[in-house]
Amino acid sequence: MRHIMAKQQQTLLERRYSMLGLFLIAPTVLVFCAVIVYPLISAVYLSLFKIFTPTLEGSWVGLDNYRVLLSKGEFWTSLRANLIWTVGTLSLQIIFGVGMALVLHQNIWFRSLARSLILFPYFISTVVAVLVWKWLFNDLYGILNHLMITAGLIDWPIDYLGSMPNAMISVILVGAWKYFPFVVIAVLARLQSIPDQLYEAAKIDGAGPIARFFDITLPQLREVLVVIIMLRAIWDFKEFDLIFLLTGGGPVTSTQTLPLLVYKEAFALNQMGMASAYAVIMMLIMLGFMLVYIRRTRSEES
Amino acid sequence: MADVVLSNVNKVFGTFTAVDGLNLDIRQGEFVSLLGPSGCGKTTTLRMLAGLEFPSGGEIRIGDRMVNDLAPGQRDIAMVFQSYALYPHMSVGQNIAYPLKKRGVAKAERTAMVAKTAEMLQLTPLLNRKPRELSGGQQQRVALGRALVRDPKVFLLDEPLSNLDAKLRGYMRAELIELHQRLGRTMVYVTHDQLEAMTMSDRIAVMESGKLQQFAPPQVVYREPANRFVASFIGTPGMNIVDGELLQENGRWIFQSQGFSVDAPNLGPDAQSGAAAMGIRPEGLSIGTGPIEGVVQLVEQTGHENIVVARVGDGLRMTGRTNPDQPVRAGETIKLSIDANKAHFFAEGATGKRLNKAAATSDGPAKSQSALKEATS
Ligand SMILES: Nc1ncnc2c1ncn2[C@@H]1O[C@H](COP(=O)(O)OP(=O)(O)O)[C@@H](O)[C@H]1O
Ligand SMILES: [Mg+2]
């Protein structure tokens, strides 16, 4: 009898705890719904209409927007540009970021100064950074062309942003320059937490500097690199301002990534429904990437 | 034949001297412990032997080679770290195989050698596990396995048992002794635990403040400590050390302290009148009758004996051992006597030299079981 009573009391207490849990989590869930779930659902909803942006008046077209979009060449060229940009800039960010982190991890006397300087590109606003780069890249009076001509490397100024593949390369390089500090900081933090004794044990086991990098440093960095690549891939895939300000998607549409295409549909062509359809497709692509990526890293773990 | 030789080795960090003029001459196949309190330079010495730290002065030889300028991987040594330092992303088997892999041993041979080592250390069922899935004792074994697998000339071990619980430590101690006997390799073992050093070593190098205090077999370190520091560091409960004065009376030496005096029958030629210290181990102190009076402060019962701490004169504490049947209680006044033949006399100062006549004990590496028992009980 007492036994049963005790059991009941316990479940009551447990129930009270779970009520408290719900109560505490409710504000977060509400805010999440307001700022994430509602826009998401309305984007999907809008993509089923043909909408004129200035008046926001529209008519139901069902899946027509998607049908048009997938058969249009512009979507596929934009997707291609988007992938080239993401893979290109992300690879450079990782290579330069890890390399710089390894350099800064060494005991060099200006390390603390270098560490704060390295953050500079990440901190300045994109508009300012792009303006500076546009001046550097300018084909008529840019310092880059001037220096290269003076050094005798080229005879004629190069059009960095107005021709292909120069424009894509320039965008990728500026993107790498702007965002590699993020990689540096994250990798450096991890490097500092690798125990020295692992390296000492490896030295005694006969591993040289290169073997120590591949057998200890890299495996130790693996987890942080997984997170960095995931975050940066998402951010780079939907990068808008840097590309828009640097080339505006040009020449013609050769650097027009999907976010720029969404913008063009919504505000230049006034097709809000179509723009929403693009946005939804973009989201699905990223979701697909993330699922594959998470699945792969998880299977490697076990 | 000398296997590892340190000649006049110094190590200076900035202005701090961690190791000061160290001379050690370790024989082939010998088990040598570096023993001393924390911070005395044991690890630094071992790391210099390994090549992880470079001496500021002096010479290190391993076998017939001067190794001062050799990288750790070229010295033919293996090291077991206090924290084990297992590679976390590799399995047990890969950890053990790593030193072979880096030395270009072929895969098939590697697998066979790893299997043999794992067998010896009872790691065979764990070969595919990751280090984080192992208990402390198992990780310890893997660290040993990684050192054993390639049969190096010298093993260096830095407090390898200090992270284990007491029971496992006792067990691993026995395992290590057996392993040493089986392999016959030179081992240099760092510890701050005198019990480990006493039970395992052929010879003990006692260090303090970066300086070597004594380098001798365990029973010599126990019975004839070179100086006051060694005397106080070795043995549990520790030696009773009393400050006082040596006097010569009618051709006999007498040691006089507050409230009592004892004969000093076996002083050597270095003895001088004046300030000195006397040391007597708890077993040299008899409780019951005698000229010295003390008040019992504490009785520790260990089961097979009682350890009695008494206050003598004003503030002097003396520790003795009694049979548990002998009724001694805290607060009681008791009589004590000192067995003058078991007393040690030291010159003034924390590392004052021992003044007794040298006894005719051999300096060989053989372990005396009775000395071990005295030290460990
Ligand atoms: N890399 C270093 N830099 C400065 N001081 C050090 C360094 N390594 C050790 N020391 C100092 O040297 C002394 C001896 O250290 P160590 O050999 O680790 O002592 P232990 O006998 O406890 O193993 C300690 O006082 C320690 O602070
Ligand atoms: Mg140490």
Side-chain angles (χ1 to χ4, degrees):
Chain A
M1 189 60 202
R2 277 185 59 186
H3 185 82
I4 293 166
M5 284 253 308
K7 207 167 180 185
Q8 271 179 341
Q9 263 174 7
Q10 200 184 26
T11 50
L12 192 73
L13 196 64
E14 271 175 354
R15 210 175 301 147
R16 233 187 263 160
Y17 273 131
S18 52
M19 286 298 287
L20 181 68
L22 279 180
F23 180 70
L24 289 175
I25 208 175
T28 315
V29 171
L30 287 177
V31 171
F32 179 78
C33 287
V35 301
I36 309 259
V37 178
Y38 171 71
L40 199 73
I41 290 173
S42 53
V44 175
Y45 178 72
L46 288 176
S47 73
L48 304 174
F49 289 81
K50 182 176 167 55
I51 300 169
F52 183 60
T53 308
T55 59
L56 285 182
E57 274 167 16
S59 56
W60 172 266
V61 294
L63 292 175
D64 260 8
N65 284 336
Y66 291 96
R67 202 170 302 133
V68 172
L69 166 169
L70 290 175
S71 60
K72 228 178 12 182
E74 195 170 18
F75 167 74
W76 296 105
T77 52
S78 278
L79 180 59
R80 187 168 157 272
N82 209 345
L83 290 178
I84 292 172
W85 143 258
T86 305
V87 171
T89 195
L90 181 58
S91 319
L92 292 181
Q93 284 166 29
I94 299 292
I95 291 167
F96 287 129
V98 172
M100 187 55 83
L102 288 171
V103 170
L104 288 184
H105 186 55
Q106 304 301 311
N107 259 321
I108 43 177
W109 61 270
F110 59 94
R111 179 161 65 172
S112 54
L113 177 70
R115 269 189 204 170
S116 23
L117 281 182
I118 223 82
L119 278 176
F120 179 69
Y122 196 62
F123 282 158
I124 57 171
S125 102
T126 309
V127 184
V128 177
V130 168
L131 275 178
V132 172
W133 277 103
K134 274 185 115 157
W135 276 99
L136 294 176
F137 277 144
N138 192 292
D139 50 341
L140 297 180
Y141 34 78
I143 188 137
L144 221 51
N145 273 328
H146 174 73
L147 287 177
M148 279 169 78
I149 290 172
T150 319
L153 291 173
I154 49 174
D155 295 329
W156 294 96
I158 295 176
D159 187 2
Y160 291 102
L161 298 173
S163 70
M164 279 301 276
N166 296 3
M168 184 55 96
I169 294 172
S170 302
V171 170
I172 286 175
L173 284 176
V174 174
W177 169 84
K178 181 94 177 66
Y179 296 117
F180 90 102
F182 175 82
V183 182
V184 174
I185 295 305
V187 170
L188 197 56
R190 182 68 188 92
L191 279 177
Q192 281 164 343
S193 69
I194 302 177
D196 275 345
Q197 301 222 308
L198 290 184
Y199 291 105
E200 294 181 343
K203 274 186 201 169
I204 287 174
D205 287 342
I210 294 168
R212 292 201 293 274
F213 175 75
F214 283 104
D215 294 340
I216 295 178
T217 311
L218 218 50
Q220 291 280 305
L221 288 182
R222 211 183 133 261
E223 271 164 41
V224 77
L225 283 180
V226 164
V227 175
I228 293 173
I229 290 174
M230 190 143 91
L231 288 176
R232 285 265 29 119
I234 296 172
W235 292 337
D236 288 337
F237 193 82
K238 63 194 183 67
E239 179 69 36
F240 174 77
D241 46 3
L242 190 137
I243 305 170
F244 184 76
L245 292 167
L246 209 53
T247 66
V252 197
T253 58
S254 41
T255 57
Q256 178 181 273
T257 57
L258 289 172
L260 270 70
L261 184 56
V262 173
Y263 176 83
K264 189 168 90 178
E265 286 287 343
F267 302 109
L269 305 178
N270 287 326
Q271 295 296 327
M272 191 53 105
M274 197 66 185
S276 300
Y278 275 117
V280 170
I281 291 279
M282 242 179 90
M283 195 190 71
L284 290 178
I285 293 170
M286 282 200 278
L287 213 62
F289 270 130
M290 288 312 126
L291 285 180
V292 170
Y293 188 73
I294 290 169
R295 172 104 30 102
R296 277 204 47 189
T297 52
R298 218 179 260 164
S299 65
E300 266 175 50
E301 280 282 292
S302 56
Chain B
M1 187 191 124
D3 200 29
V4 177
V5 180
L6 287 93
S7 317
N8 240 326
V9 171
N10 287 315
K11 180 67 195 183
V12 182
F13 293 112
T15 57
F16 176 79
T17 305
V19 175
D20 194 355
L22 187 62
N23 286 297
L24 281 180
D25 201 321
I26 298 170
R27 298 180 197 123
Q28 173 124 38
E30 205 176 8
F31 193 116
V32 167
S33 293
L34 303 181
L35 175 67
S38 181
C40 74
K42 308 178 296 284
T43 298
T44 307
T45 305
L46 200 73
R47 288 169 58 83
M48 285 193 287
L49 275 176
L52 297 172
E53 209 81 73
F54 294 97
S56 320
E59 201 174 275
I60 300 177
R61 308 185 73 87
I62 294 178
D64 42 18
R65 287 188 303 173
M66 221 277 266
V67 296
N68 281 37
D69 298 322
L70 285 187
Q74 302 170 320
R75 294 191 178 196
D76 203 11
I77 46 122
M79 183 159 167
V80 176
F81 291 83
Q82 182 173 0
S83 61
Y84 313 143
L86 300 178
Y87 309 123
H89 51 280
M90 297 185 197
S91 69
V92 169
Q94 288 168 327
N95 263 283
I96 298 176
Y98 190 72
L100 299 177
K101 198 170 157 190
K102 289 301 121 181
R103 282 175 172 75
V105 177
K107 176 123 200 221
E109 199 180 337
R110 218 154 67 202
T111 315
M113 288 165 87
V114 170
K116 197 174 134 228
T117 307
E119 181 82 51
M120 181 162 70
L121 294 167
Q122 294 146 38
L123 287 169
T124 310
L126 306 175
L127 280 178
N128 290 321
R129 299 246 200 113
K130 289 277 171 66
R132 63 165 182 277
E133 298 161 349
L134 304 180
S135 71
Q138 290 167 334
Q139 291 186 21
Q140 167 67 74
R141 268 173 215 285
V142 179
L144 272 174
R146 193 173 58 184
L148 292 175
V149 73
R150 66 191 166 84
D151 196 24
K153 206 176 191 68
V154 182
F155 288 96
L156 307 173
L157 302 104
D158 189 0
E159 313 217 10
L161 308 185
S162 61
N163 291 344
L164 305 179
D165 63 63
K167 198 171 165 191
L168 198 55
R169 207 180 307 159
Y171 176 72
M172 284 305 292
R173 214 159 56 209
E175 294 261 289
L176 276 175
I177 295 174
E178 202 199 309
L179 215 57
H180 175 243
Q181 278 164 0
R182 180 148 31 130
L183 300 172
R185 287 279 176 243
T186 311
M187 296 197 174
V188 184
Y189 186 96
V190 162
T191 181
H192 65 264
D193 182 345
Q194 47 119 0
L195 178 65
E196 279 178 17
M198 291 297 281
T199 51
M200 301 171 78
S201 321
D202 294 319
R203 282 194 291 167
I204 302 177
V206 184
M207 292 177 69
E208 156 70 352
S209 314
K211 292 197 184 76
L212 183 65
Q213 306 295 323
Q214 187 169 13
F215 186 34
Q219 79 273 21
V220 175
V221 170
Y222 188 78
R223 289 186 176 160
E224 299 166 37
N227 61 35
R228 179 174 176 165
F229 172 79
V230 177
S232 62
F233 195 74
I234 305 279
T236 35
M239 188 186 277
N240 298 295
I241 297 186
V242 184
D243 285 307
E245 216 177 337
L246 275 175
L247 310 167
Q248 217 163 5
E249 230 171 59
N250 312 326
R252 287 191 325 159
W253 284 104
I254 292 185
F255 178 80
Q256 191 150 44
S257 179
Q258 31 172 320
F260 68 91
S261 63
V262 282
D263 277 350
N266 48 11
L267 287 188
D270 291 341
Q272 282 179 345
S273 301
M278 183 207 65
I280 183 81
R281 295 218 180 266
E283 54 268 28
L285 203 67
S286 8
I287 293 173
T289 54
I292 306 168
E293 203 163 83
V295 179
V296 177
Q297 287 188 299
L298 182 72
V299 180
E300 283 179 338
Q301 303 181 329
T302 65
H304 69 287
E305 65 173 3
N306 286 354
I307 291 164
V308 178
V309 181
R311 200 226 283 274
V312 174
D314 40 73
L316 190 62
R317 281 159 61 102
M318 300 280 262
T319 306
R321 307 180 132 143
T322 63
N323 193 310
D325 303 331
Q326 196 178 338
V328 177
R329 283 202 185 74
E332 222 173 286
T333 302
I334 50 167
K335 301 274 193 201
L336 301 166
S337 70
I338 289 169
D339 180 349
N341 287 311
K342 288 187 178 166
H344 307 264
F345 298 92
F346 304 104
E348 215 183 342
T351 56
K353 243 181 75 183
R354 185 167 182 266
L355 303 171
N356 298 46
K357 254 191 283 221
T361 322
S362 83
D363 192 42
K367 280 178 232 183
S368 144
Q369 287 308 310
S370 62
L372 297 190
K373 283 223 186 71
E374 276 176 58
T376 54
S377 60

